[in-house]
């Protein structure tokens, strides 16, 4: 067996095995391992420059369109303020600054969480006077409220809306 270059074919001819050898195995026609073709650049023209007809883009659920930094700040304060002053902060945001639907939705959810926390503390605080075990219910509820305050506050800061479970935020205000 001889090693070296294969014998050259006649003039102007190329054997089949040599044609396949010039291409990498993944580039051969009919092979499942072909590399993806490079996408062609769009040619500038009137159809490329115009937006699609028929309604444009659809809105995602929970998305209110472009949200300003001021709206993000006020909706975030509806949640963060509860760590300092309880249900007063979302009430101030809801009654004073809820002009946009984005801020109103966050302020209502924050106020619902604050009202639920006050109700749970009052009811189970009184019940714990009779049975000591009931003091754990408002403590656990407060831990859940704090988790969801951070959860919803992060979404508000990104300009999104995340619904808190109705067990934590009783749907009293819309």
């Amino acid at each position: 067996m001889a090693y070296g270059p294969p014998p050259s074919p006649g003039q102007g001819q190329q054997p089949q095995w040599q044609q396949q050898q010039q291409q990498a195995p993944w580039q051969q026609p009919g092979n499942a391992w072909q590399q993806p073709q490079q996408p062609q650049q769009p040619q500038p023209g009137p159809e490329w420059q115009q937006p699609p007809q028929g309604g444009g883009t659809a809105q995602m659920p929970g998305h209110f369109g472009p949200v300003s930094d001021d709206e993000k700040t006020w909706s975030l304060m509806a949640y963060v303020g509860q760590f300092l002053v309880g249900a007063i902060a979302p009430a101030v945001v809801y009654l004073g600054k809820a002009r946009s639907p984005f801020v109103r939705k966050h302020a209502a959810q924050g106020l619902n969480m604050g009202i639920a926390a006050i109700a749970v503390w009052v009811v189970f605080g009184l019940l714990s006077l009779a049975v000591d075990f009931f003091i754990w219910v408002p403590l656990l509820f407060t831990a859940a409220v704090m988790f969801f305050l951070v959860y919803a506050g992060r979404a508000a800061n990104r300009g999104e809306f995340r619904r808190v479970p109705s067990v934590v935020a009783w749907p009293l205000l819309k």
Side-chain angles (χ1 to χ4, degrees):
M1 181 168 294
Y3 294 102
S8 61
Q11 190 175 14
Q13 297 177 354
Q14 214 171 25
Q16 182 67 23
W17 65 270
Q18 201 171 16
Q19 288 175 355
Q20 292 176 356
Q21 194 177 28
Q22 290 175 352
Q23 293 180 341
W26 58 84
Q27 293 175 336
Q28 293 178 5
N31 194 339
W33 295 95
Q34 289 182 346
Q35 291 180 341
Q37 299 294 327
Q38 295 293 332
Q40 295 180 353
Q41 297 294 328
Q43 300 297 325
E47 68 278 347
W48 181 70
Q49 295 173 353
Q50 294 178 355
Q53 301 294 327
T57 61
Q59 294 244 348
M60 293 179 1
H63 187 69
F64 295 92
V67 179
S68 70
D69 289 337
D70 190 46
E71 292 173 334
K72 290 179 188 178
T73 302
W74 280 107
S75 60
L76 179 63
M77 286 302 112
Y79 299 116
V80 174
Q82 287 192 44
F83 288 108
L84 300 174
V85 291
I88 295 171
V92 168
V93 173
Y94 187 78
L95 296 174
K97 296 292 183 178
R99 292 188 183 105
S100 74
F102 179 75
V103 176
R104 187 179 316 111
K105 192 98 166 154
H106 280 285
Q109 181 168 276
L111 191 54
N112 287 338
M113 291 171 71
I115 292 170
I118 290 171
V120 166
W121 269 100
V122 168
V123 169
F124 284 97
L126 292 174
L127 286 174
S128 70
L129 295 174
V131 180
D132 290 336
F133 174 75
F134 285 128
I135 195 64
W136 287 103
V137 175
L139 292 174
L140 293 174
F141 189 80
T142 301
V145 166
M146 287 192 183
F147 171 79
F148 283 109
L149 284 173
V150 172
Y151 171 76
R154 288 183 65 208
N157 196 36
R158 288 190 305 260
E160 303 169 355
F161 180 76
R162 295 283 187 260
R163 184 171 305 280
V164 173
S166 58
V167 173
V168 177
W170 299 344
L172 302 172
L173 300 172
K174 300 274 181 193

